[in-house]
Amino acid sequence: MRSSDIRRRFLDYFAQQQHVVRPSSSLVPADDPTLLFVNAGMVPFKKVFLGMEEPADGKRRATTAQKCVRAGGKHNDLEQVGHTARHHTFFEMLGNFSFGDYFKRDAIRFAWDLITSENQLAIDPSLLRVTVHYSDDEAFALWQEIAGLPPERIYRLGDADNFWQMADTGPCGPCTEIYVDLAKVADDFRFPPGATGEWTDLDRADFSHDAFVEGAESGRFLEIWNLVFMQFDKQPDGTLKPLPKPSVDTGAGLERIAAVKQKVTNNFHTDGFLSLIKTVEDTVGFSYWGRQSDEHRTGVRVAGAKDGGVVQNAVDPASFRVVADHARSVAFLLADGVFPSNEGRGYVLRRILRRAVRHAYLLGRREPTLVNVVQTVIDEMGDVYPELKSRSEHLIQTTRVEEQAFLATIEGGLSRFEQLAPLHTTQGGDAIRGTISGEDAFRLYDTFGFPIDLTELMAHERGYGVDIPGFEAALLEQRTRSKDERKTRKLGVTADALGDVASWDRSGDSVDSRFVGYDTIEIQSEVVALRHLDSDRVAVLLRESPFYAESGGQISDEGEIVGDGWRIDVDGVRKVEGRSAALGKLSGEFHWGPATARVPSDRRRDTERNHTATHLMHSALREVLGDAVHQAGSLVAPDRLRFDFTHHGPVKAEKLAEVEAIVNREIWRALPVTWSEMPYPDARAKGAMALFGEKYGDVVRVVDVPGVSMELCGGTHVRNTSEIGLFVILGETGVASGVRRIEALTGPGAFAQLRSREDSLMRVAELVKSPVDSVEKRVQQLLDERRTLDKKLEEAMRGGGDELAKLLAAGQAIGGNGARLVMGEVAVGDAKALQAMGDALREQLKSGVGLLAAKLEDGKGSLLVVVTDDLREQGVRADAIVRDVAAVAGGRGGGKPHMAQAGLPDASRIAEALAAAPALVTKAVTGA
């Protein structure tokens, strides 16, 4: 039975049991900041189980085939993948859920019926065993009543195995798990070498508790389904309070059931992986199915291997499995909008990608490999998960770019690793031979792009440790240093110079300071704390401050604070212990008392225009380029805006024009811009976009442009999109692998830019003597005329012309093999024309050297030397000759063996160079 049939039968079965079939949720949790990725089928229903919201459409029964990834955070299977039969980064979890509807009886009945019925999964009941929590007498009795299982095939286990809880407190309950005896199912099952004991007895039907546990741990008994009965609410003191409406959450591993139905012990040998492994074989040029042990199989060359496959003596099959598994994660994560980066989810994706590249490298590949396997994932699973096909171009291009980037540094990184952790010929057990320092591990990460867990894995393979605390300290130091350096460059003051607020001069006991800049740009306030910096500069805290401190890409406000007999020209704002401190030059004698704080209106309004425009552009980019676009950085200043975003390559001009048009459309629709504060979960539930990796408080600020954009943002914005006025894109460039940058203007700056372009157009119109509305046509006409003239000139040069004919007639013999030297001064307009004449001369010379000299329009001289193929094959080089001849007249040059060129600073010395040329050329040809 194929995996697709298992998935379909599971969902169809529960649909017949009045369950709503819901599509898989995205791998990116919609409203759970505690999770990197969806890692279980119940995650999309977490709020329902917690009682925070009602089930969609009021339906209390649901079933799903949920995409899951476990490759980061608490549930991290990355290091195990490829080395075991059942660890995966990406997998599908089949599940049925009851939200206060049915409970244990129906859950057990549904599971047993689906697994054993001949028209469903049809697994032999005699091969099944179950576990229950030691205290769950109800489940123990139900398995006997419903399934007819004898007590000796129902095993009571403890909390570690059969009690599930979502967190330290909240919904929890016992679970029951269903196991299959692989020894009697899988054709390839083998007991571990030296295995003995009751659990290895193939003729035995029933096993003791200890024998079953040992068999499960050793791989004979495979868990395929877990039924969780959420019946308690765990209190902070550890007591279990019964829930008024108990629920059911079940999870069955599709890959595990497929292994059972396809009679294999290894999930990688099921249909869900075999086509991927075949693609790896075709790409690297080796067979996965070797002839030696499971640890290292002899490599067999595969016919038709693609370029880059390198024959090796031994192939580790784990590398095939790693590439196959990781291709699934990469494809699905990219399809769900995760983009490779150095933070958060993007960093986990990049780790998976680079681990796959390293294993392809171990298989001899020096070219992109994973991209081929990702294409197979799209082909095999695109019908079930259409997002794979709809975003296939993005998946393929991004994977290829990431592979190429790591391949460019992996060899240098591996060489450095060899120095840090040399391979010993004698393994000597599991003893640690040494430790790679945190500084060295950081250098592998920073210089060569090696994720720390990849360094750890490689070190472990050779018996070395890695100083993880040292690595984390080096990473933190770099990030802190970079952040402080940026702030110091902008504000001219270090964090040490600001010190603690407790050390500042104060007007009283309280140093409370509140930002009021969202509502006003001028306010009567008072200075509550002050610190003298170098010279006449100070930092102050205001009771109420309109000055915005740089955050979220928006730069700090500038302005003034005016008191009685003194003023501070504010040129920056810095956060100090959560308060906004205004920095600037103090004029006059400061004393405590009332003061007026003011941000220039034009400056703030221009900043607000640019900030709201970044939100509109972010939305427009996602509309035009797809949901894979995510913000990767920004700069919001009064005079311009800059927006960095994830994308695999340059954005075409027509796409940029479309983005620009969409932003202007939303500006001219005069949409209201509102903001409000709310709990973070509520904001995410409303659809507000958050940047993963950003630290948000319990309460967040949401900026909303209805129907267009909703983002978590602490910046200042216009009240209506019409206030932006106009939006103009200046250009688009690349700033890093997979990251693009757009710079743009709004309002008065955009208008000035368009006026500047119009002025330039008018000047061009005057130069080409054409009306403005006909400039394009006139310029095209001039270009056509130029191309025609260039073609005629080239034809004349290649034809030789009168000058070339005269030079050929005056040629002199060099050497005794019929070679000739043809040289002279010619009249050409530029170096390009001289090269064209040199090509023509070389074509007409049967054997010899040509030397042409010309006075160019800039007053300098130029020499060109050509050498025919017969002399070039004898070692005569045009680049050597032109250097020697040019040196006579104070010039320099070089080029290729058949043609080379040199420049002369003084064209009047051409005759001097030509006079010396015959002897120099003769020496080059004859050696005498």
Side-chain angles (χ1 to χ4, degrees):
M1 186 180 294
R2 292 181 58 82
S3 298
S4 57
D5 296 328
I6 296 169
R7 185 192 302 110
R8 178 180 51 78
R9 290 194 183 192
F10 188 98
L11 296 176
D12 287 351
Y13 175 84
F14 282 104
Q16 295 168 7
Q17 312 304 324
Q18 290 74 53
H19 289 63
V20 177
V21 179
R22 301 202 184 281
S24 173
S25 296
S26 168
L27 284 167
V28 179
D31 54 2
D32 191 343
T34 66
L35 276 181
L36 279 168
F37 305 112
V38 170
N39 56 22
M42 59 75 58
V43 170
F45 305 111
K46 185 174 178 179
K47 283 193 172 183
V48 178
F49 285 123
L50 289 172
M52 298 172 62
E53 62 183 36
E54 287 294 309
D57 305 323
K59 306 295 185 182
R60 297 197 168 274
R61 295 185 179 193
T63 184
T64 63
Q66 175 62 47
K67 302 176 291 187
C68 297
V69 163
R70 291 182 181 173
K74 180 179 178 181
H75 300 286
N76 187 358
D77 292 341
L78 193 57
E79 292 185 10
Q80 298 295 323
V81 173
H83 300 289
T84 71
R86 281 176 282 283
H87 277 95
H88 305 293
T89 53
F90 173 89
F91 59 95
E92 292 181 81
M93 187 172 285
L94 308 175
N96 59 290
F97 309 93
S98 164
F99 311 118
D101 187 61
Y102 61 83
F103 199 45
K104 293 182 184 179
R105 174 176 291 277
D106 285 336
I108 291 173
R109 176 172 62 84
F110 291 150
W112 186 258
D113 185 34
L114 176 58
I115 288 176
T116 61
S117 293
E118 286 297 323
N119 60 341
Q120 299 299 336
L121 298 182
I123 297 176
D124 185 349
S126 68
L127 305 178
L128 300 176
R129 301 169 190 280
V130 300
T131 64
V132 299
H133 190 257
Y134 69 88
S135 67
D136 196 350
D137 295 333
E138 181 183 4
F140 188 86
L142 286 171
W143 277 115
Q144 296 175 69
E145 175 190 339
I146 295 171
L149 287 175
E152 56 269 24
R153 285 167 58 190
I154 307 173
Y155 303 92
R156 293 178 181 266
L157 302 182
D159 289 353
D161 297 295
N162 281 76
F163 195 89
W164 183 92
Q165 58 189 55
M166 191 177 298
D168 293 336
T169 60
C172 60
C175 62
T176 181
E177 297 175 331
I178 304 172
Y179 287 78
V180 176
D181 186 349
L182 278 184
K184 296 184 178 181
V185 171
D187 296 334
D188 61 348
F189 181 84
R190 301 291 184 275
F191 286 109
T196 59
E198 179 187 329
W199 71 275
T200 63
D201 187 350
L202 285 174
D203 296 325
R204 192 181 185 104
D206 302 312
F207 297 91
S208 66
H209 175 280
D210 291 343
F212 169 78
V213 171
E214 187 176 355
E217 292 174 349
S218 301
R220 174 171 181 175
F221 303 115
L222 173 67
E223 177 207 337
I224 61 170
W225 203 344
N226 185 14
L227 316 180
V228 177
F229 306 128
M230 280 188 270
Q231 64 186 97
F232 301 113
D233 182 6
K234 189 174 184 180
Q235 303 301 300
D237 63 0
T239 59
L240 300 179
K241 179 181 178 181
L243 288 171
K245 291 185 177 180
S247 299
V248 173
D249 154 33
T250 85
L254 173 61
E255 293 80 5
R256 293 187 175 206
I257 297 175
V260 172
K261 292 302 297 179
Q262 294 168 29
K263 298 184 178 182
V264 293
T265 58
N266 196 319
N267 291 359
F268 287 97
H269 299 166
T270 64
D271 65 304
F273 288 95
L274 288 179
S275 59
L276 307 182
I277 290 175
K278 178 63 166 61
T279 301
V280 180
E281 287 183 322
D282 293 342
T283 303
V284 304
F286 291 103
S287 172
Y288 170 72
W289 308 99
R291 295 172 296 186
Q292 291 189 12
S293 71
D294 287 338
E295 292 300 318
H296 294 284
R297 301 170 186 264
T298 300
V300 181
R301 190 70 182 175
V302 176
K306 298 180 180 179
D307 293 341
V310 179
V311 179
Q312 298 184 350
N313 293 326
V315 176
D316 185 350
S319 291
F320 287 86
R321 297 191 288 266
V322 168
V323 176
D325 172 273
H326 290 9
R328 302 206 316 169
S329 284
V330 168
F332 279 95
L333 287 172
L334 286 172
D336 279 348
V338 181
F339 200 87
S341 69
N342 287 330
E343 293 183 348
R345 296 183 177 100
Y347 181 53
V348 176
L349 172 56
R350 180 162 282 168
R351 286 165 50 201
I352 295 172
L353 265 158
R354 293 188 172 183
R355 186 168 186 257
V357 173
R358 185 236 174 181
H359 277 273
Y361 194 93
L362 294 176
L363 293 174
R365 284 289 288 180
R366 303 297 182 263
E367 297 178 10
T369 300
L370 191 66
V371 63
N372 298 332
V373 194
V374 166
Q375 182 62 63
T376 303
V377 174
I378 297 170
D379 296 340
E380 293 288 321
M381 305 185 74
D383 290 338
V384 179
Y385 298 103
E387 63 269 23
L388 293 174
K389 286 188 175 180
S390 64
R391 300 174 186 172
S392 61
E393 182 180 356
H394 164 65
L395 270 59
I396 294 301
Q397 290 183 348
T398 303
T399 304
R400 179 178 287 111
V401 167
E402 281 291 312
E403 284 197 89
Q404 290 171 338
F406 191 42
L407 283 168
T409 63
I410 189 173
E411 188 164 353
L414 289 174
S415 297
R416 177 58 182 156
F417 180 81
E418 290 290 339
Q419 298 170 4
L420 297 173
L423 182 65
H424 290 251
T425 55
T426 303
Q427 293 302 310
D430 296 329
I432 297 296
R433 295 186 184 83
T435 300
I436 297 175
S437 71
E439 184 179 344
D440 285 327
F442 176 74
R443 190 172 295 113
L444 286 172
Y445 163 82
D446 191 47
T447 304
F448 301 105
F450 280 41
I452 184 60
D453 60 328
L454 178 58
T455 300
E456 274 191 289
L457 177 64
M458 293 165 57
H460 177 73
E461 290 172 352
R462 295 191 173 188
Y464 288 81
V466 179
D467 177 13
I468 299 301
F471 167 83
E472 292 174 345
L475 180 61
L476 179 62
E477 179 184 356
Q478 184 209 46
R479 290 176 174 173
T480 302
R481 183 173 60 249
S482 298
K483 186 176 182 181
D484 287 344
E485 286 175 352
R486 287 195 299 271
K487 289 186 176 180
T488 300
R489 284 196 300 270
K490 292 173 183 175
L491 303 178
V493 60
T494 65
D496 290 340
L498 290 172
D500 299 327
V501 173
S503 66
W504 290 29
D505 298 331
R506 295 196 265 182
S507 63
D509 293 335
S510 173
V511 290
D512 290 342
S513 178
R514 184 168 67 93
F515 175 65
V516 295
Y518 293 136
D519 303 314
T520 184
I521 57 174
E522 181 174 342
I523 191 170
Q524 287 294 117
S525 186
E526 64 173 319
V527 176
V528 296
L530 177 144
R531 184 178 181 86
H532 288 277
L533 306 173
D534 57 341
S535 187
D536 51 1
R537 287 178 59 77
V538 296
V540 299
L541 289 176
L542 294 167
R543 180 76 64 197
E544 294 178 314
S545 173
F547 298 107
Y548 182 85
E550 179 175 340
S551 179
Q554 180 175 327
I555 69 170
S556 299
D557 278 331
E558 295 179 5
E560 62 180 7
I561 305 171
V562 181
D564 185 10
W566 60 270
R567 66 176 285 139
I568 299 172
D569 293 316
V570 177
D571 54 22
V573 188
R574 183 87 172 257
K575 285 283 188 180
V576 180
E577 298 177 10
R579 306 173 180 92
S580 295
L583 285 67
K585 180 180 179 181
L586 171 65
S587 302
E589 185 177 348
F590 174 82
H591 54 84
W592 306 102
T596 300
R598 183 182 300 110
V599 178
S601 174
D602 289 348
R603 178 183 174 86
R604 171 62 76 79
R605 300 301 171 234
D606 287 341
T607 302
E608 291 174 348
R609 291 185 182 97
N610 286 335
H611 204 152
T612 305
T614 63
H615 286 217
L616 298 180
M617 181 166 63
H618 190 186
S619 173
L621 284 167
R622 289 170 64 86
E623 180 178 339
V624 174
L625 302 179
D627 292 341
V629 168
H630 291 285
Q631 181 175 340
S634 67
L635 171 69
V636 177
D639 60 335
R640 70 194 189 284
L641 68 89
R642 188 176 72 209
F643 189 78
D644 297 346
F645 59 98
T646 55
H647 191 59
H648 50 70
V651 181
K652 295 180 180 178
E654 57 268 26
K655 295 293 185 182
L656 284 177
E658 188 177 350
V659 169
E660 187 178 69
I662 291 172
V663 174
N664 280 306
R665 180 191 69 197
E666 305 305 343
I667 291 171
W668 300 330
R669 285 175 65 196
L671 299 170
V673 181
T674 62
W675 47 85
S676 58
E677 292 187 348
M678 63 184 71
Y680 178 86
D682 293 350
R684 295 293 283 134
K686 283 178 173 287
M689 188 175 297
L691 297 179
F692 190 83
E694 287 288 322
K695 294 183 178 179
Y696 296 103
D698 294 336
V699 177
V700 293
R701 185 168 180 264
V702 179
V703 177
D704 184 22
V705 183
V708 178
S709 168
M710 184 185 294
E711 296 192 27
L712 304 187
C713 179
T716 62
H717 290 268
V718 300
R719 275 67 177 167
N720 189 289
T721 59
S722 62
E723 295 175 34
I724 301 172
L726 185 65
F727 173 82
V728 173
I729 291 178
L730 294 179
E732 185 265 357
T733 57
V735 293
S737 175
V739 178
R740 310 297 299 177
R741 170 175 292 171
I742 287 178
E743 297 195 55
L745 301 172
T746 65
F751 177 77
Q753 176 68 17
L754 293 184
R755 174 54 59 88
S756 175
R757 291 179 184 177
E758 185 177 3
D759 290 344
S760 296
L761 181 60
M762 293 180 68
R763 287 193 295 272
V764 171
E766 291 177 5
L767 289 172
V768 300
K769 296 179 173 55
S770 168
V772 171
D773 57 1
S774 302
V775 165
E776 182 180 359
K777 183 178 179 181
R778 176 58 178 155
V779 170
Q780 186 62 54
Q781 181 184 359
L782 291 172
L783 289 174
D784 291 342
E785 291 175 359
R786 173 62 186 265
R787 279 192 288 269
T788 299
L789 290 173
D790 286 345
K791 186 176 181 181
K792 289 181 178 179
L793 174 62
E794 184 177 347
E795 290 174 351
M797 294 298 101
R798 289 189 177 280
D802 293 338
E803 286 187 287
L804 200 56
K806 292 177 182 178
L807 291 175
L808 285 166
Q812 55 186 290
I814 48 174
N817 296 321
R820 301 171 65 218
L821 168 62
V822 175
M823 68 176 198
E825 185 174 348
V826 295
V828 294
D830 54 27
K832 185 177 180 181
L834 184 63
Q835 289 174 0
M837 184 173 283
D839 281 335
L841 174 58
R842 188 169 179 274
E843 288 176 5
Q844 295 184 45
L845 264 176
K846 291 183 179 179
S847 175
V849 176
L851 171 58
L852 302 178
K855 294 178 181 177
L856 303 181
E857 293 178 352
D858 58 5
K860 297 180 180 180
S862 181
L863 300 178
L864 181 85
V865 173
V866 295
V867 174
T868 54
D869 290 340
D870 62 319
L871 293 185
R872 182 173 55 81
E873 291 172 357
Q874 297 173 27
V876 181
R877 297 177 62 93
D879 53 342
I881 293 173
V882 82
R883 278 195 293 268
D884 291 343
V885 175
V888 173
R892 293 189 303 173
K896 298 180 179 180
H898 74 286
M899 177 184 284
Q901 200 162 359
L904 303 181
D906 185 359
S908 65
R909 298 186 67 182
I910 287 178
E912 189 178 343
L914 292 177
L920 293 172
V921 173
T922 299
K923 181 179 179 181
V925 173
T926 64

